[in-house]
Amino acid sequence: ADGEADKDLLFKLRTFDVYWVEKSALMYRDGFDKTFDRETKKKIITIRQRSSIPLILRDMAPPAGSIFDPAIKWQEEKERRRIEAGKGTEDPAAAAAKGKKGGKGGGGGGKKGNEKKRNTADSIKESNAAEKLKRDHERDLQKLSNLRTLKALQETTCDTQSGKIHRMIKMLHLAVCDLRQGTVGASEAEVLDILWALEEMNSFKSADDEVAKEKAAKKEEKKEEKKSDKKAKKDPKKDKKSKGKEKDEKAETKIVLSTEAATLKSLYKDGGDSRGTYRDSLKYARKLMSGKENLISFQLTEMADRLPPLSRYNRKFQLEPWQCDILQAIDNRESAVVCAPTSSGKTLLSTYTCKNAKGTVLFVLPSEVLVWQVASTYYQFFKGNVTVCTEQITFQEVTGDAQVYIGTPIALERSLCKVRGIAGDEMTKGEREFMILDGGFHQFDYLVLDEVHTLNGPEGDALQRLIKACNCPVLALSATIGNAVQLKEWFQSVLKQHVEAKYIEPEEQKADVVLKEHYARFINLQRYVVTEKEGKDGKKEAKLVKLHPVAAMTAERLNSQPELISALSMTPSDMMHLWKRLKAMFPGTVLQELDNPDNFFNQYVDESKRITLDQTKEYEARLKGRLTELSQSHPDLYEKLRVAQEPPPLQAKTDVSDELYDVVKQMK
C-alpha cells in the first residue's frame, strides 16, 4: 500500500504544480462505465468523472440574453458612417444614368412570361408575409392580454410593430391610472418617461398621424354632406347629377389605414379596463406634459436617472466618439491605452477585442474575483472556449482551442513559462489534460490588460514580464492612470523592442500606441457622505447628505488643474442645485442668459422639450467654465459658495454597525 501511495505522489509531483487545488475536488460524477474482463470473467464498473469548472462558470454567468455584443453595434456605426461619407459625392450624371437604367429593354420573346412568373412569386411571398404578420400579431395580443403590471410589460417583448405600440400604450395606461389613484410608487416622472418613449416611436407617430387624418377627412366629409343637403333642398334637379360626382370624389379621398394605424384606432376606441380607456390616459399624459411650465428643470431634478439613453422604456445605445476611435484602432491591430472612469464603457472595448481577434487573447486581471467574474461572462459569450488561471485553480477547455486566456499575472506567468510535457490524463488515458495549460506566448493574437494601473502593485513585476513576452498588440484599460502619457511612451518602447527583435534589419515600422483619455461616465454617479444628526428621541443617528463636487473646486484648481476639474463630474440634480445657488448669491448683472438651464437647453430641444444625458454634460462644461470666470471676478463670493457645499466635519470610527443600519434604512 505504501508503494502505491509513493507512486501516486511521484506521479502528481511530476505532472501537477504543487500550488493547485487537488484535482479530485474539481470533479463530479457523470455516470458509470461497464466493461467485461475476459481473463477474470468479471464485470468491471468504473465511475465516470468530469470537471466541475464549466458548471461553476455556467451558474455564475449573467442571465441569458443580457450580454451585449459590441461587434453588431460597431458594424452598424461603420455602415452609418459609410453612408454619410457617400452622401453628396455621387456624380449627378451617374445618378441620372442609374435612374434611366432598366427603362430601355432589349427585345425578347420571353419577357412577358418572366414578368408573369415574377409577379406570381412576389404575390406568394406577400401572402406568406401577411400570414406570418397576422400570426405574430395574434401571439402578441395573447401575450399582452395576460400581463397586468408595469414590471411584467417591461420584461416582455413583441414581434410586430402593432404589438410594440399596444405594449407601450398599455404601460402608459397603467402608469396614469396608478398616478391618478395615488398608488405607492407612482410618479409623474414614470408617466412622462413612458409618454416620451411612445411618441419617439416612428411607427406610433405615423399611425397616429394616419388616424388623425382619417378623422379630419370624415369631419370634412360630414361638412360637405351638410352643404350638399342644403343645396339639394334649394335645387332638386341638380342634386341627381351631383350625386355621381360626389361618390367618385369620396372613393378618391378615402384613406386606407395601415396595419399599425388600424390597431391604434381600435385601441383608441375599445382599449382600456375598469379604471378607464387608453385614449383618456393618453390625453391625461399629454395634458400633464403641456401643463408643466418648468419641464426642463423637472427633468434635471426628478428624472436624472431617466434621461436618454438611461430611459427605462426607450433604451437606445449609441457608441461614443472616443469608443469608435479605439474600436477602429483594434480593427487596425494597433495598441491603445484607455483612461476612462468606471461605468464609462471600457468593458465594451475588451469584449470586442476578444471577439475580433484572429487568435487567442490573453486577458490579465489583478484579482481572482475579477477573473471569475469575467470568465463566467465570456464562458457563455464564447460558448465555453475560455481558459482560467489563478493561484488556486487552472482550467482549460479540452474540446477546442481557447478564445481567451483569463488570469492573474503571477499565475499566468508560472503556467505559460514552464516546460510543458505530457501530463495528467494525457499520460494515463491519452486524453487532453484540463488542469495543465498549454504553455508559450506565441499563441496570443492580442493582449488585454484591465486595471493596468496595477503595474505599480504587488504583481506589477510579473505583469511587466508578461507584456514584454507577448509580441502582439496591447489594449490597456484603467480608470485611474495618473501618468497616461508616460505609460503610453513605455508601451511604445516595448513594441519597438519587439519590432527590432523580429527583423534583423528593421524596416521603418510604426510602433505607435493610441492614447485616449475620457472623463465622463455613462451613468450619473451621485456622491453622498454619512453625517450624524439628532433624532426625535434625542439619540444620534446617521444621515445621508449629498456631496457636491463644487466643494473640491477651489479657485486655484479651477485655474491651474482643468483635468482634475473635468474629472469631478456633476449629476443633473447637482447642476440644478448649483444654478439656484448662483442665482441667489451672485448679482444678476454677472450671470449670463445661457447660465439658466431653461435657456441653455431650449437651443437643443424640440417641441417635446426632452433633454438627454449628453446635453447635460455640455451644460456641466459650461457651468465649470463660468465658475472659473466667477472665481476670478468675484473671489469672495465664489469662496463663500464653495465653502457652503463642504460636508460637516467627519470623525473616524472603528465600529460603524449602527450607522450602517441607519444608512440602509434611508437607502430603502
Side-chain angles (χ1 to χ4, degrees):
D2 292 340
E4 289 293 326
D6 290 341
K7 285 181 182 178
D8 188 44
L9 178 62
L10 184 63
F11 173 76
K12 286 179 181 177
L13 290 174
R14 285 182 175 178
T15 57
F16 292 100
D17 290 335
V18 293
Y19 62 88
W20 277 331
V21 173
E22 180 70 23
K23 183 177 178 179
S24 59
L26 301 175
M27 308 294 284
Y28 72 96
R29 291 187 178 184
D30 188 39
F32 299 90
D33 288 328
K34 296 180 182 179
T35 56
F36 184 76
D37 190 349
R38 291 184 179 181
E39 292 180 3
T40 59
K41 295 182 179 180
K42 288 183 179 180
K43 188 190 295 183
I44 301 172
I45 300 174
T46 56
I47 299 172
R48 194 188 309 125
Q49 291 186 314
R50 291 196 180 192
S51 171
S52 59
I53 301 298
L55 300 182
I56 295 169
L57 292 172
R58 181 200 66 190
D59 294 340
M60 290 176 64
S66 62
I67 301 174
F68 173 70
D69 186 356
I72 298 171
K73 209 67 187 176
W74 176 226
Q75 196 61 38
E76 292 174 1
E77 178 65 20
K78 286 196 285 189
E79 183 63 20
R80 185 189 66 80
R81 292 185 173 194
R82 186 188 66 77
I83 292 169
E84 281 187 359
K87 281 181 181 177
T89 59
E90 191 176 1
D91 187 16
K98 195 183 287 185
K100 290 178 182 179
K101 192 177 180 181
K104 295 178 181 179
K111 188 175 180 182
K112 290 184 179 178
N114 290 337
E115 284 181 0
K116 284 181 181 179
K117 287 179 183 178
R118 203 176 294 116
N119 291 336
T120 306
D122 290 342
S123 62
I124 292 171
K125 286 179 182 177
E126 286 174 6
S127 63
N128 290 341
E131 283 294 324
K132 184 181 181 300
L133 186 65
K134 187 179 178 182
R135 288 195 302 271
D136 291 344
H137 183 54
E138 287 173 357
R139 187 168 59 249
D140 286 344
L141 290 177
Q142 289 174 358
K143 195 188 297 183
L144 294 172
S145 63
N146 298 322
L147 304 177
R148 306 189 185 282
T149 62
L150 267 177
K151 186 179 179 183
L153 285 164
Q154 270 184 284
E155 291 173 352
T156 194
T157 55
C158 293
D159 297 322
T160 62
Q161 288 298 327
S162 300
K164 290 173 183 177
I165 292 171
H166 190 165
R167 171 176 165 269
M168 290 300 299
I169 289 181
K170 189 169 184 177
M171 284 196 290
L172 180 64
H173 174 68
L174 292 177
V176 167
C177 291
D178 289 345
L179 180 64
R180 296 176 79 170
Q181 292 178 358
T183 306
V184 177
S187 65
E188 292 181 347
E190 191 89 51
V191 172
L192 293 178
D193 195 11
I194 301 173
L195 178 62
W196 267 312
L198 176 65
E199 294 191 332
E200 284 170 7
M201 291 175 65
N202 293 327
S203 54
F204 172 76
K205 279 182 185 177
S206 58
D208 195 38
D209 289 341
E210 284 182 50
V211 173
K213 284 178 183 177
E214 189 198 38
K215 189 177 179 181
K218 283 184 177 179
K219 281 186 178 180
E220 193 65 31
E221 189 181 326
K222 285 181 181 179
K223 286 181 182 179
E224 292 297 328
E225 283 180 3
K226 286 180 181 179
K227 287 180 181 179
S228 61
D229 288 343
K230 288 179 181 179
K231 288 179 181 178
K233 287 177 183 178
K234 292 179 181 179
D235 195 351
K237 292 180 181 180
K238 289 183 180 180
D239 183 44
K240 292 180 181 180
K241 294 180 181 179
S242 61
K243 276 184 180 179
K245 291 181 180 179
E246 286 177 4
K247 285 181 182 179
D248 294 337
E249 287 175 3
K250 284 178 185 178
E252 289 176 5
T253 57
K254 188 178 179 181
I255 296 173
V256 180
L257 296 177
S258 63
T259 308
E260 291 80 12
T263 304
L264 185 62
K265 183 181 177 182
S266 65
L267 288 174
Y268 284 162
K269 187 178 179 181
D270 305 318
D273 53 23
S274 58
R275 298 194 292 179
T277 64
Y278 290 167
R279 181 187 283 272
D280 290 340
S281 295
L282 183 60
K283 282 182 180 178
Y284 179 88
R286 283 173 169 168
K287 188 176 180 181
L288 177 67
M289 181 190 290
S290 60
K292 280 198 173 294
E293 295 180 0
N294 55 344
L295 192 55
I296 289 174
S297 302
F298 179 81
Q299 292 177 76
L300 290 171
T301 52
E302 303 297 328
M303 299 182 69
D305 59 335
R306 297 173 182 267
L307 300 178
L310 303 180
S311 171
R312 300 171 192 181
Y313 301 97
N314 187 21
R315 295 200 169 177
K316 292 180 181 177
F317 180 79
Q318 188 174 357
L319 293 169
E320 296 187 30
W322 71 274
Q323 290 174 323
C324 293
D325 293 342
I326 298 299
L327 291 171
Q328 189 60 59
I330 295 167
D331 284 347
N332 298 338
R333 293 188 56 76
E334 296 176 336
S335 295
V337 176
V338 180
C339 180
T342 306
S343 76
S344 61
K346 297 191 298 295
T347 305
L348 176 149
L349 305 174
S350 57
T351 304
Y352 180 76
T353 304
C354 294
K355 184 174 182 181
N356 190 58
K358 295 176 182 177
T360 305
V361 175
L362 180 60
F363 200 126
V364 188
L365 292 151
S367 68
E368 293 191 15
V369 176
L370 285 173
V371 167
W372 286 104
Q373 179 186 337
V374 173
S376 61
T377 302
Y378 284 178
Y379 191 81
Q380 185 187 92
F381 190 73
F382 294 117
K383 299 183 172 25
N385 295 329
V386 171
T387 292
V388 179
C389 182
T390 67
E391 290 287 339
Q392 301 297 320
I393 294 171
T394 58
F395 166 80
Q396 68 179 1
E397 184 61 48
V398 296
T399 57
D401 295 329
Q403 179 77 19
V404 55
Y405 270 55
I406 306 171
T408 52
I410 290 178
L412 281 169
E413 187 183 27
R414 285 176 182 171
S415 298
L416 296 172
C417 292
K418 71 177 187 301
V419 177
R420 172 71 158 89
I422 298 175
D425 285 344
E426 296 170 350
M427 185 179 289
T428 57
K429 300 179 183 178
E431 298 175 359
R432 193 178 177 198
E433 174 56 52
F434 73 87
M435 286 190 68
I436 306 293
L437 303 189
D438 298 333
F441 294 90
H442 64 281
Q443 59 189 313
F444 300 121
D445 186 61
Y446 230 108
L447 173 62
V448 177
L449 308 171
D450 201 4
E451 311 296 346
V452 72
H453 57 269
T454 53
L455 274 166
N456 197 32
E459 298 189 17
D461 54 343
L463 185 56
Q464 286 190 40
R465 289 191 290 271
L466 285 175
I467 294 167
K468 291 181 177 181
C470 291
N471 188 8
C472 60
V474 182
L475 175 65
L477 308 169
S478 177
T480 53
I481 304 177
N483 54 341
V485 176
Q486 185 181 348
L487 182 63
K488 174 196 167 185
E489 291 172 353
W490 182 79
F491 273 113
Q492 280 179 330
S493 67
V494 172
L495 292 176
K496 190 178 179 183
Q497 289 171 13
H498 287 163
V499 171
E500 290 175 351
K502 188 173 181 181
Y503 298 100
I504 297 172
E505 294 181 2
E507 301 172 8
E508 288 189 9
Q509 291 202 0
K510 288 186 177 180
D512 288 340
V513 176
V514 177
L515 173 62
K516 188 63 66 174
E517 294 184 87
H518 182 68
Y519 300 102
R521 294 177 184 269
F522 176 69
I523 60 172
N524 294 311
L525 187 64
Q526 183 67 61
R527 299 171 180 84
Y528 288 89
V529 63
V530 180
T531 60
E532 283 188 345
K533 70 166 187 176
E534 193 171 308
K536 294 180 181 178
D537 55 356
K539 293 182 180 179
K540 288 187 177 181
E541 59 183 28
K543 183 185 177 184
L544 275 175
V545 178
K546 285 184 180 180
L547 181 61
H548 204 292
V550 166
M553 297 181 190
T554 61
E556 183 184 351
R557 287 173 178 168
L558 282 169
N559 290 283
S560 61
Q561 296 178 278
E563 292 180 357
L564 174 64
I565 298 302
S566 62
L568 293 170
S569 58
M570 289 189 255
T571 64
S573 58
D574 288 337
M575 298 174 207
M576 197 65 202
H577 175 74
L578 178 58
W579 160 245
K580 288 178 180 177
R581 299 304 303 159
L582 287 172
K583 192 177 178 182
M585 295 181 67
F586 285 83
T589 53
V590 174
L591 301 177
Q592 297 176 4
E593 186 180 353
L594 291 181
D595 293 344
N596 188 327
D598 291 316
N599 297 332
F600 180 86
F601 288 104
N602 275 330
Q603 62 185 335
Y604 297 107
V605 298
D606 54 17
E607 56 186 13
S608 68
K609 292 199 173 182
R610 181 62 154 156
I611 63 175
T612 65
L613 192 64
D614 287 340
Q615 289 167 356
T616 64
K617 299 301 178 188
E618 293 179 22
Y619 183 56
E620 176 188 347
R622 176 179 176 79
L623 283 178
K624 287 176 178 177
R626 294 289 294 128
L627 290 178
T628 305
E629 294 171 6
L630 293 172
S631 66
Q632 293 177 338
S633 60
H634 297 74
D636 295 336
L637 280 177
Y638 175 75
E639 186 61 18
K640 188 178 178 182
L641 167 72
R642 189 193 67 80
V643 171
Q645 306 306 315
E646 289 182 346
L650 303 178
Q651 296 179 350
K653 290 187 177 182
T654 54
D655 183 13
V656 292
S657 53
D658 293 335
E659 285 81 358
L660 280 176
Y661 179 74
D662 294 333
V663 168
V664 171
K665 277 199 305 182
Q666 291 178 64
M667 290 175 69
K668 285 178 67 179

